[in-house]
Amino acid sequence: MRSTVSVTSRRRILCVFPAYTPSFGTFSHAYPLMGGVKAFMPPQGLLVIAAYMPETWECRFIDENIKRATPADFAWADAVFVSGMHIQEGQIHDIGTRAHEAGKLAVLGGPSVSGAPEKYPDFDCLHIGEIGDATDRLIARLDAGVARPAAQETYETADRLALADFPAPAYEAVPLKRYLIGSLQFSSGCPYRCEFCDIPQLYGRQPRLKTPEQLCGELDAIVSQPGHPAVVYFVDDNFIGNRKATREMLPVLVEWQKKNNYPLQFACEATLNMAKQPEILELMRQANFMTVFVGIETPEAEALKGIDKTHNAAVPMYEAISTLNSYGLEVTSGIILGLDSDTDKSEQNLIDFIDRSAIPVLTINLLQALPKTPLWDRLEKEGRLIHDAALESNVLFKRPHDTVVASWRRAIGHAYDPEKIFERFKHQCEVTYPHRITTPTAGKLTLTNLRRGLILGFNIITRVGLFSDYRGPFWRAAGYALKRGQIEAVFNMGFVAHHLIRFTREALRGEHNASFYAAKAAEAKEAEERSWWENARRRFVPEREAA
């Protein structure tokens, strides 16, 4: 549904989503292998806001991960809407500055400003919280006039719009073919209260839900766009936050897949205790779920108590991972170093976990305190919040800072050593991929998929299989998969490992921070100063540079 506010003016709204810095999690180094892919995933929140605007208002949507908004775009607009996360703070300020240079009113909403509005004194209007009554008040204000206010205005949501009343995201406003994966939301909120997480404070502990029919309508919109991504990620804070609702939704999703010849694969984020839900896991398998991101955080069971994550120990960790694998779900994992409970043995415990679990993809990160989290509140009381851009985290660790950073460097170096990562992919060929369902060929043999497969195959063979210095481990793992008829696995391991190995080498050269994946400003400046030829050379054959 659109806003019910009655408007009398015609407005032009420019929605701008800020760029991300390169990270482990967005697979930016894999984009050149894909042919035309420029960004990770469409931003759900801002697309929903665009769809909610009054019907008589024009909306233009620009994702700066794909292309930069131009002066002509700002000149076209009456108001500029921006949304983003803490990791995008610098880019958010930059968009606000460009809007003001064009004389336009700048409006900021989304998770970062909702968690820390004090970071953004430069914006004209702040939208705090989710879509709801504050959004309607903001629309009424813009209808009355779009002149910049003398002082900042704040609109805070008290009455949230029910997810069942959400409009379908304005997918038609973005070129889906430019994204690595698609995005879809079923629920919002999470019942758990992990110490470091801001989700319960921002979105609540009682998950709110869309209807299965809404999901099907949004999926129809995604697949109707030529060249849409083959994988769609459920951006829910916890896919099993409401197990009953998930169990009731999945059969509808299975039927949609069958009706459409399985045009999509799915991925999601959930807690590790989903291993206790065999009915849900089987339905996920039937719906063609391939990957689940799990915030394992630490393999040390005692440490989980300190961060209020004991639900990860509801099933023995390795047993839970094995259970998920047995339903065809490849686990990816978030890991945190720098916890108060870390000891001199924690690094080796993590390395042992990486090898034994055989999880291919782990985002290993230093602890970072986010506003509106129990961790932030505790560290603030203890005087352990620090704000030094020269450091890798805003947390004063209990162990020496340099010691923790050195552990992070050794851990990622071990995890993404080419031999190690391809061995873990070989393990997945044994324990995970054989358990996936066989989907109809009709859903895969499209011109888009054939073109995409040819481009990806050619690039993997040349850039990974011929010109990289890790071609040996790649071909050994690829041969292992091909002997088992797992052709798709070869494509997956090729582009995923390519990104992870390259990003790790950059991180070990000091080009990326160890917290929240922020690229260092010095490296960005250095890239700008390098010649076009040198940047192109690094893009195609950076593997030969010393790690």
Side-chain angles (χ1 to χ4, degrees):
M1 61 173 283
R2 291 184 179 271
S3 171
T4 57
V5 174
S6 178
V7 295
T8 57
S9 303
R10 298 181 70 88
R11 299 296 183 209
R12 292 184 292 195
I13 307 298
L14 177 65
C15 297
V16 185
F17 188 70
Y20 286 108
T21 48
S23 78
F24 274 116
T26 56
F27 294 96
S28 55
H29 284 305
Y31 301 162
L33 304 180
M34 302 292 290
V37 169
K38 299 292 185 182
F40 183 57
M41 183 168 60
Q44 276 270 317
L46 200 51
L47 287 173
V48 170
I49 290 292
Y52 188 72
M53 291 297 103
E55 194 167 5
T56 57
W57 290 15
E58 292 181 69
C59 279
R60 181 179 294 178
F61 194 99
I62 296 176
D63 183 346
E64 294 210 322
N65 293 283
I66 296 176
K67 69 169 186 175
R68 186 175 171 87
T70 66
D73 293 317
F74 287 106
W76 169 87
D78 293 314
V80 178
F81 283 15
V82 189
S83 175
M85 297 185 286
H86 295 309
I87 185 177
Q88 298 163 296
E89 181 182 348
Q91 295 91 325
I92 290 171
H93 285 298
D94 177 63
I95 295 169
T97 298
R98 284 185 280 148
H100 287 159
E101 287 173 349
K104 306 301 180 178
L105 182 141
V107 181
L108 176 62
S112 184
V113 69
S114 295
E118 68 278 3
K119 288 184 175 185
Y120 301 102
D122 46 332
F123 275 78
D124 300 305
C125 301
L126 303 184
H127 183 292
I128 308 298
E130 293 183 84
I131 189 170
D133 58 338
T135 320
D136 288 339
R137 293 198 303 275
L138 177 61
I139 289 171
R141 186 261 191 246
L142 296 176
D143 184 50
V146 289
R148 293 183 58 194
Q152 186 178 76
E153 300 172 358
T154 299
Y155 300 84
E156 185 165 2
T157 297
D159 185 14
R160 294 182 291 205
L161 186 69
L163 254 69
D165 293 329
F166 268 36
Y171 293 121
E172 70 282 355
V174 291
L176 292 181
K177 64 182 179 181
R178 299 302 181 204
Y179 291 95
L180 181 66
I181 61 177
S183 60
L184 190 72
Q185 183 179 28
F186 172 54
S187 67
S188 179
C190 179
Y192 299 109
R193 192 163 167 77
C194 305
E195 187 187 40
F196 53 84
C197 183
D198 58 0
I199 293 300
Q201 182 66 24
L202 291 177
Y203 306 118
R205 297 185 65 187
Q206 182 63 42
R208 290 160 292 122
L209 308 161
K210 288 184 180 177
T211 67
E213 292 71 29
Q214 276 177 284
L215 290 188
C216 292
E218 292 180 24
L219 288 170
D220 288 338
I222 290 172
V223 299
S224 70
Q225 192 170 136
H228 63 81
V231 179
V232 169
Y233 192 92
F234 277 78
V235 297
D236 302 27
D237 310 308
N238 183 353
F239 188 67
I240 59 164
N242 184 321
R243 298 186 191 100
K244 180 176 181 293
T246 304
R247 198 178 296 113
E248 292 173 352
M249 177 273 291
L250 282 168
V252 179
L253 190 60
V254 172
E255 287 306 309
W256 184 90
Q257 286 274 55
K258 290 179 178 177
K259 176 184 174 183
N260 292 279
N261 287 318
Y262 283 84
L264 297 171
Q265 298 173 352
F266 295 117
C268 68
E269 178 174 343
T271 41
L272 193 58
N273 58 357
M274 74 184 306
K276 296 176 65 177
Q277 305 296 321
E279 184 181 353
I280 288 177
L281 293 174
E282 177 56 28
L283 286 167
M284 290 174 69
R285 194 177 82 89
Q286 294 298 328
N288 214 27
F289 276 79
M290 299 290 187
T291 306
V292 57
F293 178 91
V294 176
I296 287 175
E297 321 309 355
T298 172
E300 299 176 346
E302 283 300 309
L304 294 172
K305 296 178 182 178
I307 56 174
D308 289 336
K309 195 128 188 179
T310 53
H311 47 275
N312 263 11
V315 178
M317 197 167 287
Y318 294 110
E319 179 185 327
I321 293 167
S322 179
T323 296
L324 297 180
N325 291 160
S326 71
Y327 286 91
L329 290 168
E330 183 174 282
V331 175
T332 65
S333 174
I335 297 290
I336 300 174
L337 284 171
L339 299 173
D340 285 0
S341 56
D342 283 1
T343 67
D344 291 342
K345 296 180 180 179
S346 295
E347 178 189 326
Q348 188 58 51
N349 290 340
L350 173 57
I351 287 172
D352 292 342
F353 171 77
I354 292 169
D355 292 341
R356 183 178 168 188
S357 69
I359 294 174
V361 180
L362 308 99
T363 56
I364 305 169
N365 189 27
L366 289 194
L367 181 67
Q368 179 80 7
L370 300 178
K372 293 197 173 181
T373 63
L375 176 66
W376 177 282
D377 295 340
R378 177 171 68 81
L379 295 182
E380 190 172 45
K381 289 177 183 177
E382 296 175 6
R384 293 174 56 204
L385 285 178
I386 51 179
H387 304 284
D388 184 345
L391 298 178
E392 305 282 338
S393 171
N394 65 351
V395 174
L396 180 61
F397 303 122
K398 289 200 168 181
R399 304 174 73 221
H401 180 87
D402 290 347
T403 299
V404 177
V405 174
S407 287
W408 174 78
R409 291 170 63 85
R410 287 189 293 269
I412 64 169
H414 178 89
Y416 297 120
D417 172 85
E419 292 282 357
K420 298 290 186 183
I421 186 172
F422 283 114
E423 278 299 315
R424 299 200 300 274
F425 272 119
K426 283 172 64 177
H427 182 78
Q428 298 302 307
C429 292
E430 286 185 27
V431 304
T432 302
Y433 307 152
H435 299 294
R436 292 174 173 170
I437 62 170
T438 301
T439 57
T441 305
K444 304 173 186 176
L445 286 180
T446 64
L447 288 175
T448 295
N449 285 345
L450 288 171
R451 177 182 175 276
R452 184 182 289 145
L454 288 171
I455 292 171
L456 180 59
F458 175 80
N459 285 327
I460 287 175
I461 289 171
T462 53
R463 299 191 193 189
V464 181
L466 293 179
F467 297 125
S468 76
D469 61 5
Y470 44 87
R471 56 186 176 271
F474 165 71
W475 283 119
R476 286 191 288 276
Y480 193 83
L482 289 172
K483 287 178 183 177
R484 287 157 178 77
Q486 298 168 350
I487 299 173
E488 191 171 340
V490 177
F491 286 73
N492 180 62
M493 69 175 70
F495 89 84
V496 170
H498 179 69
H499 164 75
L500 295 171
I501 292 168
R502 287 183 58 180
F503 187 86
T504 297
R505 291 178 175 182
E506 291 174 352
L508 293 178
R509 292 197 298 265
E511 295 172 14
H512 302 293
N513 285 341
S515 285
F516 56 88
Y517 320 124
K520 291 189 174 178
E523 168 58 18
K525 186 175 186 297
E526 180 188 332
E528 289 179 3
E529 294 174 351
R530 285 195 296 260
S531 68
W532 175 89
W533 169 252
E534 176 62 10
N535 278 320
R537 185 192 69 78
R538 287 173 176 239
R539 182 176 181 181
F540 282 89
V541 287
E543 298 84 0
R544 298 187 181 279
E545 297 175 19

